[in-house]
Amino acid sequence: MKCNICPRECGADREKGRGYCGVGQNFTLARAAKHLWEEPPVSGTKGSGTVFFSGCNLGCVFCQNYEISHGCKGKEVTAERLREICDNLIGEGVHNINFVNPTHYSSALSYFLEKNSFSVPVVWNSGGYEKADTLKSLEGKVQIYLPDLKYVSDERSEKYSSAPDYFSYASRALIEMKRQCPESIFDEEGIMKRGIIVRHLILPKNTNQSLKILDWIKENLGTDTVISLMSQYTPYGKIAAFPELQRKITEREYFKVVGYAENLGFENIFTQSFLSADEDFIPDFDFTGI
Ligand code: SF4
């Protein structure tokens, strides 16, 4: 059957081959482990149960997980094994099951979540380049959306992610996520049980994009939306042709964006330490937990 579940609509027959996203129909994973460096309501004190999917429908030149997103390093697993992997993480006491970069497995994961429910929330940790209609099939199965909103400009998204229609799709996807999870709900320890956190990675020489993104979130999702402004950009991946991407962001760039968000009235902003901008924070994709 032809796959058109994401905005690429590449029409690949994933039973026989691979799509633009680089993978076939079987779940392909690179790592499943407790992760302590997500936003505090997601990682909490016991960690988030991250499950990293290989391949990607976006393919950003600066991807910090290049090895698995572009290189598709990973092991194929059955749905039964995925269930065991999730159960093992829950057995370690994690606060949630966190599917990292799951978009190109949306249909299979929707079916998987229909057959498998968990005692902890399911987190959909995506790049935002997805179809709102595809996301509708996840309603009630995903409790926490953790999407990126990377660019507003079609020119930037084409240049860095070969996706000139990124904002057109991501904006509609985020509106759908917010429709499914209109309120952020936390337990007494501040751990998120339901809701949406919109992430934005600030790129060097790109703060005007960041400000426009914040304007859009305010107008379309509201200032009650939890946002996470990420300073962790580290030069990595295939960026040789992009001189502007070959440095970390400056404190001045970062605090310009944070200050703007505060002035817009966002009630819940997660910020990051500059110490996070280091290759040491990129996980080892050594098939741990697979
Ligand atoms: S998920 Fe992969 S195979 Fe399906 S349309 Fe998107 S890029 Fe193509």
Side-chain angles (χ1 to χ4, degrees):
M1 204 171 75
K2 290 185 173 181
C3 180
N4 286 307
I5 61 172
C6 91
R8 295 285 179 198
E9 295 190 337
C10 74
D13 180 349
R14 291 173 63 176
E15 280 178 33
K16 296 186 182 144
R18 295 163 182 247
Y20 182 99
C21 50
V23 287
Q25 71 172 1
N26 295 332
F27 295 128
T28 309
L29 308 179
R31 180 181 174 86
K34 187 189 282 196
H35 191 58
L36 293 163
W37 304 107
E38 305 285 31
E39 288 74 3
V42 178
S43 276
T45 50
K46 299 179 193 161
S48 176
T50 48
V51 179
F52 286 86
F53 288 85
S54 306
C56 185
N57 72 329
L58 201 47
C60 308
V61 293
F62 51 81
C63 183
Q64 315 283 288
N65 298 344
Y66 206 86
E67 235 182 314
I68 64 166
S69 60
H70 293 240
C72 299
K73 179 180 175 185
K75 267 191 194 169
E76 290 191 9
V77 301
T78 61
E80 292 70 31
R81 178 61 190 147
L82 178 58
R83 169 82 215 203
E84 284 171 8
I85 288 167
C86 296
D87 284 342
N88 290 343
L89 289 168
I90 292 168
E92 288 180 40
V94 296
H95 294 292
N96 45 59
I97 291 297
N98 184 343
F99 290 148
V100 184
N101 198 15
T103 302
H104 44 296
Y105 287 111
S106 298
S107 296
L109 285 171
S110 172
Y111 184 73
F112 174 80
L113 292 171
E114 202 171 299
K115 304 285 172 201
N116 295 276
S117 56
F118 297 102
S119 55
V120 296
V122 172
V123 181
W124 192 260
N125 182 343
S126 72
Y129 189 47
E130 40 208 338
K131 286 181 171 177
D133 279 349
T134 302
L135 290 170
K136 284 191 175 121
S137 72
L138 298 170
E139 186 163 9
K141 302 171 190 168
V142 165
Q143 286 72 43
I144 299 171
Y145 283 103
L146 192 54
D148 292 331
L149 189 54
K150 294 172 185 285
Y151 326 94
V152 167
S153 153
D154 297 346
E155 178 263 331
R156 293 288 163 96
S157 61
E158 177 165 28
K159 188 173 169 188
Y160 297 146
S161 302
S162 306
D165 53 1
Y166 174 85
F167 182 69
S168 162
Y169 278 99
S171 53
R172 283 176 283 162
L174 266 64
I175 287 169
E176 170 59 20
M177 293 174 188
K178 181 88 178 184
R179 184 192 71 75
Q180 291 183 27
C181 299
E183 272 182 82
S184 295
I185 299 171
F186 302 87
D187 70 9
E188 59 286 349
E189 289 170 357
I191 307 300
M192 193 174 234
K193 294 291 171 191
R194 189 177 161 85
I196 174 171
I197 301 177
V198 181
R199 283 177 162 172
H200 174 60
L201 176 70
I202 297 152
L203 295 174
K205 291 200 175 167
N206 206 48
T207 51
N208 286 344
Q209 281 293 294
S210 304
L211 306 190
K212 285 181 186 164
I213 281 170
L214 291 168
D215 287 337
W216 183 87
I217 298 172
K218 176 178 177 169
E219 278 165 35
N220 295 278
L221 305 179
T223 51
D224 61 334
T225 304
V226 184
I227 57 172
S228 175
L229 297 173
M230 305 171 80
S231 64
Q232 71 184 49
Y233 174 76
T234 304
Y236 198 72
K238 287 217 161 163
I239 54 170
F242 306 100
E244 71 279 16
L245 294 181
Q246 290 172 22
R247 67 160 170 85
K248 295 176 183 178
I249 65 165
T250 62
E251 291 199 21
R252 188 185 162 125
E253 285 173 318
Y254 187 60
F255 289 110
K256 175 181 168 185
V257 177
V258 172
Y260 192 77
E262 286 168 350
N263 286 337
L264 286 178
F266 281 98
E267 295 156 21
N268 257 313
I269 306 171
F270 288 105
T271 56
Q272 253 185 342
S273 154
F274 269 74
L275 296 175
S276 320
D278 195 291
E279 280 186 35
D280 290 347
F281 282 84
I282 299 173
D284 283 334
F285 297 114
D286 54 3
F287 308 133
T288 295
I290 305 302

